[in-house]
């Protein structure tokens, strides 16, 4: 009750102040009358009694102030008064306020923008039931399909056995490791094909996650068997909104993908967009329909065809360590059952060495985690920039406090305590930080969207949720609060140490801080040191980016445009009709003016790869036990289109057809590793390690090594085959080398494709040069942002030097005037001032060098073909820093040199 009474009284004091004041006056008068009556009983007159009571009790106003100060509302009221006074004070100095708020907004906004991406990629939990109970089998660092034993992908039969036999999971589910992005289908009553992102998931996927549909039903375990018998689909809430305008009658409508009609049975929850961060499926189809969705992927019944992620929910009371131990024992038992009584030595060794880690799936899966380290580095960078900004504003506040010494002295003289003055000054800093935080939040909203577009692989931004949430708002508030304490505490404390006599004697504050203030100088030196570290970091990342762009790719990316085709959407099958479609497409497009070469292929640079061991007829590789080879199925014009030069032998020609002997072209590394000591021409090998297939392909040529997945990869063995001879999958990539205007060639290619099949989906995917640039998006983001913030840090440090030296010149105007009047050369005055700026720079550089060397070692893993202690980078950074800092000191020194002695002697 006392707490409620206190709260009630406090609110009444805040919002009904006049009534409370009247009650307090009446109560104090009553006490006064009672005390006076006691005096009157002792024989005093009423007048003397009242006078005696007032003398004993003291000032009535002081008593009222003491009474008011006992409640919590007094603190709130004084804080409100401080806030109003701080607002008036800042309005009187608009230039200072604008500079401080903008500086803080840039620093806080940069931190918030980087944190928003970190939050979306690394910190935000999936919107599912009890996400901390979810685990992923393996690391999740890979996708596609493999054959054998690994800790990333698993076969459908392995998933079934695991789900039935495990004792540590309450529920399990599986999903394809590849999102079928850009697949085309027809929605009921629509005449045209539409692009859609399709995800295959097991029947337990949604129930295991605890995601309830907003409409219809979810998949069930009954939808897993038999294979190919459950043509149903769930659609995402966002696609339901975009495509169907939230029509509740969507349940029961059909989607045609290839020859199969899928009936829509449900709509997912509005906040759910899958379990892979950065991907947003439009349609989910049961995993049992894999063969119908993508006829080239027919491995559900193959025990060793690993293409799935397995997600599971831990049983109550089971730890991750216990579950991991149990799953590894079970997994080896399953693999041994699959292998049968006679196990090949290499498979036995793989099973013995296999270990499946359990990874938390609370935050989902994502290939965007490759940006985690760059984002963390950038987080440190922007934090240092904010520190430099705080140091700048602290110096501004110190200089400003020198001009407020008389104001502070007056407030102290009339009874204000040091704590009260300190709180008032700190309130001004908090108000500045809050204004900077609000403006920074707006800046961060724009900057985070810009960075998201920067790292996106196409014209559309990644489906990443970067909207502000409680965590982001709390981070912004916290960093604003910490910022205020960083730049406001020390100036406020120093301002309260005022000598009243000196303050009232000196019109400008004799206790003002001058150029020689140790604290101000330390702030400037620290700014220079930190900006030097940031400049070196920016230089190293820029050198890395430049080195990557200069890497020999092995192909010519200039003047090549990329398209995607989707014959599966039209019902094509893996037969001669599909081969005929590919060949006609190549021939019609090649006949267009401006087209120099074209080809269909399985993949181009940075689009994944098909890797398997190979077996060589009559030879054993000297590069280890069955090293994996990267395979690509291409057309006859692929090498001309990509600009990959032939070294020996020949490339594919008209004599190589679907029914002719199978041939292959290999790269330099494969020739060196698999066919040492002689020419590989005429030698034979087979895909996979089965010796029975060692004679499947004859080597007819060797081409130059080319990059496959990244610019910083080491040379890897690679082989190319005619797609007509290895028609195991649908091939969706189509490359065209052109001459002339790139904008003119796109409609020509589309027109030629339409002449082959008017319904064939053909989508422009950009140029090969753009694809190469996207492969270094992480390095580009780090280099460019670190360069921007590095230069910003140097600029802020230079502004700090300029401000401190200008203030020092103003404070030393009398001294400079006397020196000039006594005959000191103006050049000596100029050097006297400029020397201070050089001292700041040299001291900061001396402190920054060891910090930069230590920081360089920490980010050495992010560098390419450059060393952390790169002398050229350090020299350029030091030169740039000194030049800018000297320029900042030149203006105050020039002003000091031009001081008129007569004016200076009358100054102050």
């Amino acid at each position: 009750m006392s707490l409620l009474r206190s709260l009630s009284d406090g609110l009444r004091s805040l919002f009904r102040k006049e009534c409370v004041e009247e009650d307090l006056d009446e109560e104090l008068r009553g006490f006064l009358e009672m005390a006076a009556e006691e005096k009157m009983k002792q024989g005093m007159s009423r007048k003397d009694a009242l006078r005696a009571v007032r003398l004993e009790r003291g000032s009535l106003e002081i008593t009222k102030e003491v009474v008011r100060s006992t409640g919590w509302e007094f603190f709130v009221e004084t804080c409100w008064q401080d806030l109003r006074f701080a607002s008036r004070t800042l309005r009187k100095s608009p230039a200072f306020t604008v500079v401080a708020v903008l500086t803080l907004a840039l620093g806080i906004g940069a931190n918030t923008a980087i944190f928003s991406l970190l939050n979306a990629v690394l910190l935000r939990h999936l919107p599912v039931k009890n996400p901390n109970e979810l685990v992923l089998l393996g690391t999740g660092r890979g996708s596609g399909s493999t054959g054998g034993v690994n800790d990333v992908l698993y076969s459908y039969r392995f998933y079934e056995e695991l789900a039935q036999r495990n004792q540590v999971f309450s529920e399990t589910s599986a999903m394809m490791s590849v999102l079928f992005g850009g697949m085309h289908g027809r929605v009921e009553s629509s005449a045209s094909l539409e692009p859609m992102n399709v995800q295959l998931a097991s029947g337990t996927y949604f129930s295991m996650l605890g995601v309830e549909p907003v409409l219809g039903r979810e998949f069930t375990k009954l939808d897993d068997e038999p294979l190919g018998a459950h043509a149903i689909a769930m659609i995402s809430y966002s696609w339901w909104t975009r495509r169907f305008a939230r029509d509740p009658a969507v349940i029961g409508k059909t989607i045609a993908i290839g020859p199969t009609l899928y009936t829509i049975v449900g709509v997912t929850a509005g906040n759910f967009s899958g379990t892979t961060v950065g991907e947003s499926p439009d349609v989910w189809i049961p995993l049992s329909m894999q063969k119908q969705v993508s006829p080239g992927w027919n491995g559900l019944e193959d025990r060793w065809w690993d293409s799935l992620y397995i997600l599971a929910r831990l049983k109550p009371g089971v730890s991750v360590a216990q579950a991991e131990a149990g799953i590894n024992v079970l997994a080896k038992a399953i693999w041994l059952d699959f292998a049968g009584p006679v196990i090949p030595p290499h498979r036995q060794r793989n099973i013995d060495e296999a270990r499946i880690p359990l990874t938390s799936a609370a935050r989902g899966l994502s290939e965007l985690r490759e940006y985690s380290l760059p984002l963390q580095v950038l987080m440190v960078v922007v934090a240092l920039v904010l520190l430099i900004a705080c140091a700048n504003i602290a110096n501004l506040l110190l200089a400003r406090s020198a001009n407020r010494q008389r104001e502070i002295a007056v407030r102290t003289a009339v009874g204000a305590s040091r704590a009260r003055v300190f709180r008032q000054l700190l309130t001004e800093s908090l108000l500045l930080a809050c204004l900077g935080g609000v403006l920074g939040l707006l800046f961060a909203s724009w900057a985070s969207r810009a960075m998201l577009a920067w790292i996106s692989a196409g014209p559309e931004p990644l489906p990443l949720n970067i909207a502000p949430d409680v965590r982001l708002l709390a981070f912004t508030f916290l960093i604003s609060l910490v910022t205020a304490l960083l730049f406001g505490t020390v100036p406020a404390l120093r301002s309260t140490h005022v000598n009243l006599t000196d303050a009232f004697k000196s019109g400008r504050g004799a206790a003002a801080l001058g150029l020689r203030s140790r604290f101000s100088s330390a702030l400037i030196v620290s700014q220079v040191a930190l900006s030097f570290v940031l400049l070196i970091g920016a230089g190293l990342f820029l050198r890395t980016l430049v080195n990557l762009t200069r890497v020999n790719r092995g192909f010519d990316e200039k003047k090549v445009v990329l398209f995607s085709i989707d014959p599966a959407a039209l019902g094509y099958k893996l037969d001669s009709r599909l081969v005929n479609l590919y060949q006609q497409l190549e021939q019609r497009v090649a006949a267009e003016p401006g087209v120099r070469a074209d080809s269909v292929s399985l993949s181009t640079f940075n689009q994944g790869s098909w890797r398997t061991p190979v077996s060589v007829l009559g030879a054993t590789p000297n590069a280890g036990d069955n090293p994996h080879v990267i395979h690509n199925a291409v057309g006859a014009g692929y090498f001309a289109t990509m600009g990959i030069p032939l070294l020996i032998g020949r490339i594919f020609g008209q004599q190589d057809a679907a029914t002719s002997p199978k041939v292959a072209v290999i790269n330099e590394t494969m020739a060196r590793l698999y066919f040492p000591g002689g020419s590989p021409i005429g030698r034979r090998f087979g895909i996979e390690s089965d010796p029975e297939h060692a004679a499947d392909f004859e080597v007819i040529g060797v081409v130059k090594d080319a990059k496959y997945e990244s610019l910083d990869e080491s040379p890897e063995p690679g082989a190319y085959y005619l797609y007509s001879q290895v028609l195991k999958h649908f091939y969706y990539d189509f490359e065209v080398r052109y001459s002339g205007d790139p904008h003119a060639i796109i409609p020509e290619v589309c027109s030629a494709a339409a002449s082959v099949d008017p319904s064939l989906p053909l989508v422009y995917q950009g140029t090969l040069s753009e694809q190469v640039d996207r492969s270094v998006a992480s390095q580009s983001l780090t280099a460019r942002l670190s360069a921007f913030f590095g230069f910003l840090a140097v600029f802020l440090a230079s502004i700090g030097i300029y401000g401190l030296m200008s203030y020092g010149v103003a404070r030393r105007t009398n001294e400079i005037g006397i020196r000039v009047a006594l005959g000191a050369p103006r050049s000596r005055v100029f050097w006297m001032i400029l020397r201070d700026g050089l001292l700041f720079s040299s001291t900061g550089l001396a402190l920054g060098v060891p910090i930069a060397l230590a920081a360089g070692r920490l980010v050495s893993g992010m560098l390419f073909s450059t060393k952390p202690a790169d002398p050229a980078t350090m020299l350029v950074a030091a030169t740039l820093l000194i030049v800018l800092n000297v320029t900042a000191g030149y203006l105050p020194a020039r002003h000091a040199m031009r001081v008129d002695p007569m004016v200076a002697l009358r100054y102050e």
Side-chain angles (χ1 to χ4, degrees):
M1 291 295 292
S2 60
L3 179 62
L4 292 177
R5 180 64 181 272
S6 174
L7 181 63
S8 175
D9 291 346
L11 293 174
R12 185 168 177 267
S13 298
L14 289 173
F15 297 106
R16 301 187 63 185
K17 189 173 182 179
E18 293 181 358
C19 294
V20 172
E21 287 292 320
E22 290 177 1
D23 293 345
L24 182 60
D25 287 339
E26 183 178 347
E27 186 175 358
L28 289 176
R29 281 196 300 270
F31 280 121
L32 188 64
E33 290 291 341
M34 290 173 61
E37 287 178 2
E38 293 293 328
K39 297 286 186 184
M40 291 168 63
K41 288 179 181 179
Q42 297 175 7
M44 298 179 67
S45 66
R46 177 177 175 80
K47 180 178 180 181
D48 292 340
L50 288 173
R51 183 173 180 274
V53 169
R54 289 193 181 99
L55 289 174
E56 290 176 2
R57 303 287 181 178
S59 170
L60 191 62
E61 291 301 320
I62 292 177
T63 303
K64 289 167 66 176
E65 191 71 21
V66 171
V67 172
R68 291 192 199 102
S69 64
T70 58
W72 62 268
E73 68 276 6
F74 177 76
F75 177 77
V76 174
E77 185 176 1
T78 54
C79 285
W80 175 244
Q81 292 172 355
D82 288 346
L83 190 61
R84 292 173 60 191
F85 183 79
S87 178
R88 290 197 302 270
T89 303
L90 294 177
R91 283 203 303 269
K92 291 178 182 178
S93 305
F96 163 78
T97 303
V98 168
V99 169
V101 169
L102 287 179
T103 302
L104 288 172
L106 193 58
I108 294 174
N111 278 269
T112 304
I114 300 296
F115 182 79
S116 68
L117 289 181
L118 271 174
N119 182 39
V121 174
L122 297 177
L123 304 179
R124 183 171 284 155
H125 281 184
L126 292 174
V128 299
K129 184 181 77 173
N130 300 331
N132 288 321
E133 296 177 356
L134 298 179
V135 292
L136 170 74
L137 268 68
T139 62
R141 296 172 185 166
S143 59
S145 65
T146 62
V149 176
N150 64 81
D151 64 353
V152 180
L153 304 176
Y154 307 91
S155 70
Y156 185 70
R157 294 307 176 196
F158 179 91
Y159 158 68
E160 288 184 318
E161 291 290 327
L162 182 85
Q164 293 174 6
R165 297 164 58 178
N166 89 86
Q167 302 296 319
V168 294
F169 300 140
S170 59
E171 296 175 276
T172 56
S173 68
M175 58 180 281
M176 278 295 296
S177 61
V178 175
L179 175 73
F180 293 106
M183 184 167 278
H184 291 76
R186 283 189 177 90
V187 178
E188 185 175 90
S189 73
S190 175
S192 58
L193 290 169
E194 304 175 26
M196 55 188 70
N197 298 324
V198 178
Q199 176 71 67
L200 301 182
S202 66
T204 57
Y205 179 75
F206 292 101
S207 61
M208 189 272 299
L209 293 174
V211 176
E212 298 287 341
V214 296
L215 206 64
R217 72 169 180 90
E218 61 191 22
F219 296 159
T220 68
K221 189 171 179 57
L222 297 177
D223 297 320
D224 286 337
E225 296 289 346
L227 300 181
H230 302 278
I232 59 175
M234 287 189 69
I235 63 174
S236 70
Y237 187 92
S238 61
W239 199 58
W240 179 48
T241 302
R242 295 193 316 269
R243 179 59 181 80
F244 300 97
R246 300 184 188 176
D247 180 7
V250 70
I251 303 300
K253 290 188 176 182
T254 59
I255 302 172
I257 300 177
T260 307
L261 286 178
Y262 299 88
T263 302
I264 298 174
V265 297
V267 179
T268 64
N271 61 349
F272 181 74
S273 58
T275 47
T276 302
V277 179
E279 291 181 357
S280 183
D282 299 319
V283 180
W284 282 268
I285 292 175
L287 190 57
S288 60
M289 300 298 294
Q290 183 193 77
K291 184 176 181 179
Q292 287 71 28
V293 173
S294 182
W297 292 58
N298 304 328
L300 290 187
E301 297 181 285
D302 186 343
R303 295 175 172 180
W304 300 107
W305 197 71
D306 301 329
S307 62
L308 306 180
Y309 292 137
I310 296 179
L311 294 165
R313 185 177 292 278
L314 293 172
K315 282 185 176 181
V318 177
S319 67
V320 173
Q322 291 171 334
E324 188 172 301
I327 286 302
N328 275 280
V329 172
L330 176 58
K332 291 186 178 184
I334 295 172
W335 283 323
L336 289 172
D337 291 344
F338 286 174
V342 181
I343 305 177
H346 72 278
R347 179 147 289 170
Q348 181 67 61
R349 184 170 61 253
N350 290 341
I351 294 174
D352 292 340
E353 296 175 353
R355 179 184 172 276
I356 300 176
L358 293 186
T359 306
S360 172
R363 297 174 178 86
L365 296 76
S366 181
E367 292 184 358
L368 294 177
R369 301 277 154 81
E370 68 175 285
Y371 289 95
S372 60
L373 182 57
L375 287 174
Q376 291 171 29
V377 170
L378 288 173
M379 197 75 217
V380 175
V381 168
V382 293
L384 293 179
V385 170
L386 184 58
L387 279 178
I388 293 173
C390 289
N392 248 358
I393 297 174
N395 260 333
L396 287 174
L397 288 175
L398 284 172
R400 193 165 178 263
S401 67
N403 294 325
R404 299 180 65 184
Q405 292 295 298
R406 175 168 289 183
E407 171 203 333
I408 295 172
V410 169
R411 298 183 67 187
T412 304
V414 297
S417 65
R418 284 183 58 195
R420 188 70 181 82
V421 174
F422 172 78
R423 198 176 82 183
Q424 170 61 55
L425 296 176
L426 193 59
T427 300
E428 294 179 17
S429 299
L430 286 169
L431 182 57
L432 284 174
C434 289
L435 292 173
V438 172
L439 195 59
L441 199 59
L442 298 176
F443 168 73
S445 177
W446 169 83
S448 57
R449 288 195 299 269
M451 286 189 290
L452 184 61
W454 207 338
I455 65 177
S456 299
E460 294 295 324
L462 285 169
L464 198 62
N465 183 12
I466 56 173
D469 58 6
V470 174
R471 186 185 289 112
L472 183 66
L473 295 176
F475 173 82
T476 306
F477 172 77
L478 181 63
I479 199 172
S480 300
L481 181 63
V482 170
T483 298
L485 296 176
L486 282 175
F487 73 76
T489 303
V490 174
L493 283 174
R494 297 190 67 127
S495 297
T496 59
H497 290 275
V498 58
N499 186 304
L500 298 183
T501 303
D502 291 341
F504 285 125
K505 282 182 179 179
S506 175
R508 296 184 56 140
L513 299 176
L515 180 64
R516 300 297 182 182
S517 167
R518 292 183 179 178
F519 182 69
S520 296
S521 300
L523 287 177
I524 293 297
V525 169
S526 65
Q527 284 180 275
V528 173
L530 292 178
S531 59
F532 180 60
V533 172
L534 294 180
L535 265 187
I536 289 179
L540 292 175
F541 291 134
L542 284 171
R543 288 286 298 273
T544 291
L545 182 61
V546 170
N547 291 340
L548 283 171
T549 57
R550 291 177 178 175
V551 164
N552 184 358
R553 293 114 163 88
F555 58 84
D556 182 9
E557 74 270 24
K558 298 177 182 177
K559 291 189 174 295
V560 177
V561 289
L562 306 175
F563 298 86
S564 65
I565 54 178
D566 189 6
L570 300 179
Y572 282 89
K573 298 180 179 179
L574 296 174
D575 54 23
S576 59
R577 183 168 168 258
L578 179 62
V579 173
N580 186 53
L581 172 72
Y582 289 151
Q583 292 175 343
Q584 285 191 49
L585 178 64
E586 291 174 336
Q587 292 168 6
R588 296 286 180 87
V589 172
E592 293 293 328
V595 175
R596 296 172 55 188
D598 67 335
S599 176
V600 171
S601 69
L602 170 64
S603 63
T604 54
F605 173 75
N606 195 231
Q607 287 191 323
S609 60
W610 169 23
R611 297 168 181 263
T612 71
V614 298
S615 55
V616 177
L617 184 64
T620 301
N622 64 352
D625 185 18
N626 288 329
H628 285 197
V629 172
I630 297 177
H631 311 283
N632 200 358
V634 302
Y638 181 80
F639 300 106
T641 304
M642 296 294 291
I644 301 176
L646 177 69
L647 300 180
I648 58 174
R650 67 176 180 87
I651 57 176
F652 304 125
Q654 293 182 351
Q655 67 271 36
D656 303 309
T659 56
S660 61
K662 293 182 178 181
V663 293
V665 175
I666 64 175
N667 67 2
E668 297 173 87
T669 300
M670 184 171 177
R672 185 177 67 255
L673 296 179
Y674 283 86
F675 306 100
S679 173
I681 304 301
R683 301 287 297 276
R684 291 186 170 272
F685 71 94
I687 300 174
E688 298 294 350
S689 54
D690 189 350
E692 293 183 4
H693 296 282
D696 284 356
F697 294 91
E698 178 187 350
V699 178
I700 61 171
V702 178
V703 295
K704 187 176 181 180
D705 283 340
K707 300 296 183 182
Y708 293 100
E709 295 187 88
S710 65
L711 294 179
D712 59 352
E713 68 185 17
S714 301
E716 298 189 63
Y720 304 88
Y721 316 93
L722 275 174
Y723 59 72
S724 60
Q725 296 184 343
V726 289
L727 198 63
K728 295 183 177 181
H729 307 286
F730 282 91
Y731 304 129
Y732 298 99
D733 288 350
F734 183 51
E735 307 87 36
V736 179
R737 178 169 292 280
Y738 66 91
S739 60
D741 183 11
H743 300 289
I745 202 68
I746 297 172
E748 292 179 5
V749 173
C750 294
S751 175
S755 68
V756 176
D757 188 332
S759 301
L760 179 66
L762 184 139
V763 181
Y764 174 63
Q765 298 291 337
T767 67
L768 185 57
S769 296
E770 291 170 346
Q771 192 156 290
V772 171
D773 292 339
R774 286 195 293 267
S775 72
V776 292
S778 172
Q779 294 88 341
S780 177
L781 178 75
T782 307
R784 296 183 184 185
L785 288 183
S786 62
F788 170 76
F789 289 120
F791 283 109
L792 177 63
V794 175
F795 175 75
L796 291 175
S798 300
I799 291 296
I801 290 176
Y802 170 78
L804 187 60
M805 293 180 65
S806 295
Y807 180 73
V809 169
R811 298 300 304 159
R812 299 173 66 185
T813 300
N814 289 106
E815 174 196 341
I816 293 171
I818 293 172
R819 287 177 180 274
V820 174
L822 293 176
R826 294 185 180 274
S827 59
R828 182 176 296 175
V829 173
F830 177 84
W831 172 246
M832 177 184 69
I833 301 300
L834 189 62
R835 182 178 55 200
D836 291 317
L838 289 174
L839 181 62
F840 291 143
S841 299
S842 58
T843 307
L845 287 175
L847 291 175
V849 168
I851 300 174
L853 292 175
R857 285 193 291 270
L858 293 176
V859 298
S860 59
M862 299 175 63
L863 305 180
F864 179 75
S865 294
T866 189
K867 297 179 180 179
D870 182 47
T873 301
M874 300 188 74
L875 181 61
V876 171
T879 303
L880 180 62
L881 188 64
I882 290 174
V883 168
L884 290 176
N885 287 352
V886 168
T887 303
Y890 169 79
L891 296 176
R894 185 168 173 266
H895 176 72
M897 185 178 67
R898 295 185 173 185
V899 167
D900 186 339
M902 297 301 296
V903 175
L905 292 175
R906 290 197 298 267
Y907 193 66
E908 292 189 345

